Amino acid sequence: MTMMLSKKSIEYNFSRIFALIFGLTLYLATTAIFAQPSQRLLLSDDIIAETQQLSARKQLDVISNINTQRSADAKTLIDSLEQQHAKQPLANIDALRLTLLHCFNLLEFGEFNQAIVLAKQGESNARQFKYDTARPYFIQCQAIAHQSLGNTLQEQQLTEEALRLAKRYSETQAIVNSLYARSRQNTSLENYNSAIEDLRFALDIYGEAQNQFQHWYLLPISYIQSEISNVFFSMGEYEEALHFSELAYKDISFFGKIKSTVTLNLALINIALNDKAKVLYFLNKAENVSENIDSERDSANQYALLAIIHLYVGDYNIAEKLALSSIELFTKYQEPIYVMRIKRTLAKVYFAQNKDNQALSLLNEIIEQATELEQFSDLEEFNQIISQYYAEQNQFESAYQFQVQRFDAAKQAAAKLNNAHFMQYKARITAQSEASTPPEKPVSNINQNLTITALIILLLSVGLVLFLARKPQRLNSVNAQEEDQQQRIDNMLDNAKQGHYQLSMLLININHNNIADIPFIIPRLKNTLREQDQLFRHNTNELIILLPHASSVGAARVITQIEQVLGEWKSEIKVNIGMASLQQLDTFEVLVKKAVLNQLNKIKSQEKSNSPDEN
């Protein structure tokens, strides 16, 4: 018997070593594939000449890394590769990626209609070449173009479709990009919590996206961090906004255009915090990095933000010149909404310069324009500015008239917002109904990279099979129980997502002094639950309860019942119950984290409520 155990132990250790060797083989084989361009190259003043010395595939990697920050340089490299492709065709996968990067580059220069045409062509080619994994990226390019053209419904439908396909093909880069785009939609619809949730999830999987085997296109992480800052700023959470802008400011991807954008954001956040010294500091920094802007459209946006900052610090003449320059450029690019909003800033500058007639004339002009464009939120603000002016001049009848117009605009803005929420809901339902249709027959992508991947995975699988086959039987038994429980949990979560019904989770943490009572606690808890509810032992001192078809309100009632039942049975039982509600993108691990945070928040709340008594 001793000899048999020793032999099993040797075989078990051998299989572990065997699996480790294959894991190391996978790492070494893929390290070169995942290698990204050096930071020195990305910041080089001679980036075009240096990049053109590289292979076509490595040139595509460079373009992907600078497309949003150094758009003009990316455009030059794209044009060069397209000329090369015309003479000597690239591999299908490289040609597809070149088309994709060209599509996103067109967006940087305001060529939205061209981007839509190219994206449709690219998706068609992806189908033809059997590279369906590229499709969500082309759909996302279309969505952004439609957003910039003001086609809200098309934008929302395409974004949901891109996210659906990205999840279907496990394209984490496309998931990150789509979550970023959807968060911007939600911010515009004032769904700030949903926007933050999408962005936090994008941050959680960003490392995985960077290591994706086939690199298609991935936004720099500083863009995700900057957008989280923007959402918190819109919510009035200025300290949180400052934190995430500072994270973006320190990131390795902080160069080129994003450098100017984040620096201006930091100045605007400090205006909200009324810290003039820091506003001046970041204003100086922003003006020193203005050379990073390489398109007129981006310059127009920068001038608009700089005008706001110079107005705050009292540089009225500079603010006026910047606002006029921004208006001129946005007029050239036929962006009437942006022109209208910058004229609002210019009107404020005129008031500061005591040019009241010019300010009022400009405000009346943009009120007419906002009415025509049905921009009711802007209309509400414009009427408020004039109303406030007349009130300060003691012309209360005129002030009242514009307040009435303001309230009417607010009603129309709310109705428009509700309609936009409905369109977003409709877009998601459409995407979900398409997701429920039978999947297309899988296709194989025959190219050198994926062949190498298949071989590596095959070798690794052989190692893992040997590893699992040689495991001691008792370990197999324990793992089988854990896997069975995890499978049941995952099935419940998947059913809730696919059935589009609510599900809540309770995480019950039992005091270490009461661990011995757990076998007696479990049957009492089960008597409290409904038939469809499920209870699981999570670890030594934790239980998990899944409540299908239960909202957070319903889950709170269950918590009250559990505390009452346990208190009546044994008053000294100490439990801390956390709650989490399932969202569409949540995994089991995410739900547990939410429940733990809920537990911590309860403890903090109890400590605060008890502190006056202690004093």
Side-chain angles (χ1 to χ4, degrees), residues 225-236:
Q225 293 163 334
S226 179
E227 187 58 26
I228 294 178
S229 175
N230 289 339
V231 179
F232 277 122
F233 187 83
S234 300
M235 296 168 68

Side-chain angles (χ1 to χ4, degrees), residues 234-273:
S234 300
M235 296 168 68
E237 300 284 349
Y238 302 127
E239 293 293 343
E240 288 287 336
L242 185 64
H243 169 71
F244 281 98
S245 275
E246 287 174 342
L247 284 180
Y249 194 80
K250 297 171 185 174
D251 192 79
I252 193 172
S253 62
F254 183 70
F255 66 89
K257 183 166 49 181
I258 189 67
K259 194 170 186 177
S260 174
T261 302
V262 172
T263 307
L264 287 168
N265 284 349
L266 283 164
L268 293 170
I269 292 167
N270 280 289
I271 287 176
L273 294 170

Side-chain angles (χ1 to χ4, degrees), residues 110-314:
E111 303 289 349
F112 305 122
N113 288 312
Q114 288 185 41
I116 291 171
V117 172
L118 192 62
K120 289 180 178 178
Q121 178 189 329
E123 191 194 356
S124 175
N125 290 341
R127 289 176 183 271
Q128 179 185 345
F129 296 151
K130 311 300 183 187
Y131 282 109
D132 284 351
T133 54
R135 288 174 54 205
Y137 301 91
F138 286 109
I139 293 171
Q140 191 55 61
C141 187
Q142 284 187 65
I144 297 170
H146 278 293
Q147 185 269 332
S148 301
L149 292 169
N151 302 329
T152 305
L153 181 58
Q154 293 95 321
E155 172 208 2
Q156 292 173 343
Q157 288 176 335
L158 288 166
T159 299
E160 292 299 329
E161 173 66 3
L163 187 56
R164 181 183 73 83
L165 286 177
K167 288 190 282 189
R168 175 180 173 183
Y169 297 124
S170 300
E171 286 290 313
T172 48
Q173 293 184 353
I175 292 173
V176 168
N177 299 339
S178 297
L179 289 171
Y180 173 82
R182 192 169 74 177
S183 74
R184 301 193 73 174
Q185 292 173 10
N186 279 319
T187 300
S188 68
L189 298 176
E190 299 178 16
N191 291 334
Y192 301 127
N193 289 334
S194 296
I196 289 291
E197 185 176 333
D198 279 347
L199 289 166
R200 287 195 185 279
F201 183 63
L203 276 184
D204 286 344
I205 64 171
Y206 196 88
E208 182 183 346
Q210 284 180 306
N211 293 328
Q212 183 174 295
F213 180 81
Q214 174 56 52
H215 190 87
W216 288 105
Y217 182 70
L218 178 64
L219 279 168
I221 194 169
S222 52
Y223 276 70
I224 311 294
Q225 293 163 334
S226 179
E227 187 58 26
I228 294 178
S229 175
N230 289 339
V231 179
F232 277 122
F233 187 83
S234 300
M235 296 168 68
E237 300 284 349
Y238 302 127
E239 293 293 343
E240 288 287 336
L242 185 64
H243 169 71
F244 281 98
S245 275
E246 287 174 342
L247 284 180
Y249 194 80
K250 297 171 185 174
D251 192 79
I252 193 172
S253 62
F254 183 70
F255 66 89
K257 183 166 49 181
I258 189 67
K259 194 170 186 177
S260 174
T261 302
V262 172
T263 307
L264 287 168
N265 284 349
L266 283 164
L268 293 170
I269 292 167
N270 280 289
I271 287 176
L273 294 170
N274 202 25
D275 190 334
K276 191 171 183 178
K278 286 189 177 178
V279 172
L280 289 168
Y281 171 80
F282 286 113
L283 173 59
N284 181 57
K285 287 278 187 184
E287 290 176 333
N288 288 338
V289 298
S290 59
E291 69 275 4
N292 295 317
I293 303 298
D294 53 16
S295 78
E296 285 187 333
R297 191 170 177 275
D298 291 323
S299 294
N301 190 54
Q302 185 189 41
Y303 294 153
L305 296 175
L306 284 170
I308 295 171
I309 299 166
H310 278 286
L311 172 61
Y312 171 79
V313 299

Side-chain angles (χ1 to χ4, degrees), residues 337-485:
I337 294 175
Y338 287 109
V339 170
M340 179 180 68
R341 290 170 181 169
I342 298 157
K343 285 182 177 178
R344 168 199 57 198
T345 302
L346 184 58
K348 291 181 178 179
V349 173
Y350 286 154
F351 278 133
Q353 294 172 324
N354 297 315
K355 299 176 182 177
D356 293 5
N357 290 334
Q358 286 177 261
L360 291 169
S361 174
L362 197 56
L363 283 167
N364 281 304
E365 175 190 325
I366 60 178
I367 281 174
E368 287 184 21
Q369 194 174 7
T371 304
E372 183 181 341
L373 295 171
E374 297 185 346
Q375 291 296 125
F376 300 115
S377 295
D378 292 304
L379 189 59
E380 179 186 0
E381 184 181 354
F382 300 159
N383 278 292
Q384 170 62 16
I385 294 170
I386 297 186
S387 176
Q388 185 176 347
Y389 167 78
Y390 281 124
E392 290 171 356
Q393 302 299 316
N394 295 325
Q395 298 181 36
F396 298 113
E397 187 175 339
S398 296
Y400 174 75
Q401 177 189 342
F402 281 99
Q403 276 295 330
V404 170
Q405 291 178 198
R406 176 200 167 199
F407 288 127
D408 183 56
K411 286 181 184 178
Q412 291 175 297
K416 185 177 180 181
L417 193 63
N418 287 336
N419 185 51
H421 286 157
F422 174 74
M423 287 195 294
Q424 186 184 51
Y425 173 76
K426 184 178 177 183
R428 292 188 181 184
I429 290 298
T430 301
Q432 289 166 357
S433 64
E434 289 178 0
S436 64
T437 59
E440 299 170 11
K441 194 173 181 179
V443 292
S444 59
N445 295 330
I446 305 173
N447 62 82
Q448 185 177 6
N449 280 349
L450 293 184
T451 303
I452 293 170
T453 308
L455 288 171
I456 292 169
I457 291 172
L458 178 62
L459 291 171
L460 183 60
S461 298
V462 171
L464 289 175
V465 167
L466 290 172
F467 168 66
L468 293 172
R470 289 174 166 81
K471 265 191 177 182
Q473 188 61 40
R474 61 186 182 84
L475 290 178
N476 283 337
S477 176
V478 172
N479 284 350
Q481 292 176 7
E482 292 178 355
E483 287 171 7
D484 178 63
Q485 175 171 302

Side-chain angles (χ1 to χ4, degrees), residues 18-200:
F18 192 70
L20 180 63
I21 290 170
F22 276 99
L24 183 60
T25 303
L26 178 64
Y27 172 78
L28 293 173
T30 56
T31 297
I33 297 169
F34 291 146
Q36 293 297 309
S38 69
Q39 190 72 0
R40 184 205 63 78
L41 174 58
L42 299 179
L43 300 177
S44 171
D45 292 333
D46 201 19
I47 189 172
I48 293 172
E50 290 187 49
T51 302
Q52 287 174 335
Q53 302 301 314
L54 305 174
S55 66
R57 189 156 294 180
K58 289 185 178 179
Q59 287 188 52
L60 291 170
D61 288 337
V62 174
I63 294 167
S64 180
N65 276 273
I66 67 171
N67 212 0
T68 50
Q69 291 112 310
R70 302 180 65 170
S71 307
D73 290 335
K75 184 179 186 303
T76 302
L77 290 168
I78 288 168
D79 292 343
S80 174
L81 270 179
E82 286 182 337
Q83 291 171 12
Q84 177 184 330
H85 177 55
K87 295 176 184 176
Q88 185 176 357
L90 301 170
N92 286 344
I93 193 168
D94 295 332
L96 263 182
R97 193 175 177 204
L98 179 59
T99 303
L100 177 68
L101 295 174
H102 189 180
C103 185
F104 280 104
N105 188 259
L106 287 171
L107 298 175
E108 299 297 320
F109 292 94
E111 303 289 349
F112 305 122
N113 288 312
Q114 288 185 41
I116 291 171
V117 172
L118 192 62
K120 289 180 178 178
Q121 178 189 329
E123 191 194 356
S124 175
N125 290 341
R127 289 176 183 271
Q128 179 185 345
F129 296 151
K130 311 300 183 187
Y131 282 109
D132 284 351
T133 54
R135 288 174 54 205
Y137 301 91
F138 286 109
I139 293 171
Q140 191 55 61
C141 187
Q142 284 187 65
I144 297 170
H146 278 293
Q147 185 269 332
S148 301
L149 292 169
N151 302 329
T152 305
L153 181 58
Q154 293 95 321
E155 172 208 2
Q156 292 173 343
Q157 288 176 335
L158 288 166
T159 299
E160 292 299 329
E161 173 66 3
L163 187 56
R164 181 183 73 83
L165 286 177
K167 288 190 282 189
R168 175 180 173 183
Y169 297 124
S170 300
E171 286 290 313
T172 48
Q173 293 184 353
I175 292 173
V176 168
N177 299 339
S178 297
L179 289 171
Y180 173 82
R182 192 169 74 177
S183 74
R184 301 193 73 174
Q185 292 173 10
N186 279 319
T187 300
S188 68
L189 298 176
E190 299 178 16
N191 291 334
Y192 301 127
N193 289 334
S194 296
I196 289 291
E197 185 176 333
D198 279 347
L199 289 166
R200 287 195 185 279

